[in-house]
Amino acid sequence: DNSGAIDVSGYYAAYGVIAQSIYGDVSVNNSGSIDVYAGPTGYYAYGVIASSYYGNVGVDNSGSITVDGYANATFGSYAFGVFAESYYGDVDVNNSGSITVSASSYSLLPSEATGVYAQSYQGDVSVDNSGSIIVNATSDNVYYGSSATGVLAYAKYGDVVVTNSGDISATARSDYFQFYGEATAVGVVAIEIVAYSYYNGSLTVDNSGSISAEASAYYGGASATGVYALTIFGDLYVDNSGSIEASAASGDYSDYS
């Protein structure tokens, strides 16, 4: 339980909070501030990592989480605000505060930034945002485009629920050549996949707030999606009473053909 200030910086990687268990439940509560910076060779930057193999995982943020990853070497930059994961247990992430994540890559590989990443293989996954989640990814390299995701919720055998009454923004920008990929921005990704038809799970996305995705590329493709929801055998519900916006601007290939 953090109600104070956590400030972490690292040359290659930086982690604000790591809470892990094999058999027990894991709970992380932040009402203070968590500031994380990884650079100038910042391959990985995490605000909160919470994981358990058998237990449930819960993360509650009513404060501020700020994560910045910057890479100017061979590898790319990967930044997460909250990373919550369990194999057998349920995963619940609640944000009523602010989560701001930035990833910048001036190298061969791309930048990838995610506000909230929540997944379970056997349990249910729930993400509730009434605050703000702002994600920015910028790449300046010759191979792949940047990727920005506001919320990613995934379950293999459990149910998935994503509720947003706040603001979620994802922006991806590629400022140089990108020959093998595109700049990609997604506000919310919700996936419930099971390999057996006898399990009938459900996936729900309920938005009464604001979700926006914006992608742009100097040279190459760009893709933006407000909400991406996928289930194979389960029931799917998407309810929007708020605002969902997506815009993409691809680079001009003709100037370089």
Side-chain angles (χ1 to χ4, degrees):
D1 191 345
N2 175 54
S3 58
I6 297 175
D7 194 344
V8 181
S9 62
Y11 192 89
Y12 294 104
Y15 307 89
V17 173
I18 300 177
Q20 296 176 315
S21 177
I22 296 177
Y23 294 99
D25 297 337
V26 172
S27 177
V28 176
N29 297 294
N30 177 56
S31 58
S33 64
I34 299 174
D35 294 287
V36 177
Y37 172 76
T41 313
Y43 303 144
Y44 299 103
Y46 289 81
V48 173
I49 296 177
S51 66
S52 178
Y53 192 77
Y54 291 100
N56 299 322
V57 174
V59 178
D60 188 290
N61 176 55
S62 58
S64 66
I65 299 174
T66 304
V67 179
D68 187 6
Y70 172 77
N72 65 359
T74 303
F75 300 102
S77 178
Y78 306 91
F80 295 83
V82 173
F83 184 97
E85 180 181 36
S86 179
Y87 193 89
Y88 287 102
D90 298 335
V91 174
D92 295 290
V93 178
N94 180 70
N95 177 56
S96 58
S98 65
I99 298 174
T100 305
V101 182
S102 299
S104 302
S105 174
Y106 297 86
S107 61
L108 296 178
L109 297 180
S111 62
E112 296 182 5
T114 304
V116 173
Y117 181 100
Q119 77 166 10
S120 178
Y121 293 95
Q122 303 284 345
D124 299 331
V125 173
S126 173
V127 177
D128 188 341
N129 176 58
S130 58
S132 67
I133 300 174
I134 301 173
V135 179
N136 293 281
T138 304
S139 289
D140 192 347
N141 61 70
V142 297
Y143 286 104
Y144 303 99
S146 56
S147 174
T149 304
V151 172
L152 191 155
Y154 169 85
K156 187 171 183 179
Y157 293 102
D159 298 334
V160 175
V161 177
V162 177
T163 304
N164 177 55
S165 57
D167 297 315
I168 299 175
S169 172
T171 303
R173 191 176 78 245
S174 294
D175 292 334
Y176 198 57
F177 302 100
Q178 49 179 51
F179 295 110
Y180 304 110
E182 62 182 12
T184 304
V186 185
V188 172
V189 178
I191 299 174
E192 188 268 334
I193 295 180
V194 64
Y196 306 103
S197 60
Y198 59 77
Y199 176 81
N200 186 24
S202 66
L203 186 153
T204 302
V205 178
D206 188 346
N207 176 55
S208 59
S210 173
I211 299 174
S212 64
E214 181 179 355
S216 62
Y218 172 74
Y219 173 85
S223 171
T225 305
V227 174
Y228 179 85
L230 172 66
T231 182
I232 302 300
F233 295 107
D235 299 324
L236 174 61
Y237 307 94
V238 177
D239 187 1
N240 177 50
S241 58
S243 171
I244 300 176
E245 299 181 356
S247 63
S250 299
D252 188 0
Y253 286 96
S254 62
D255 290 344
Y256 306 93
S257 60

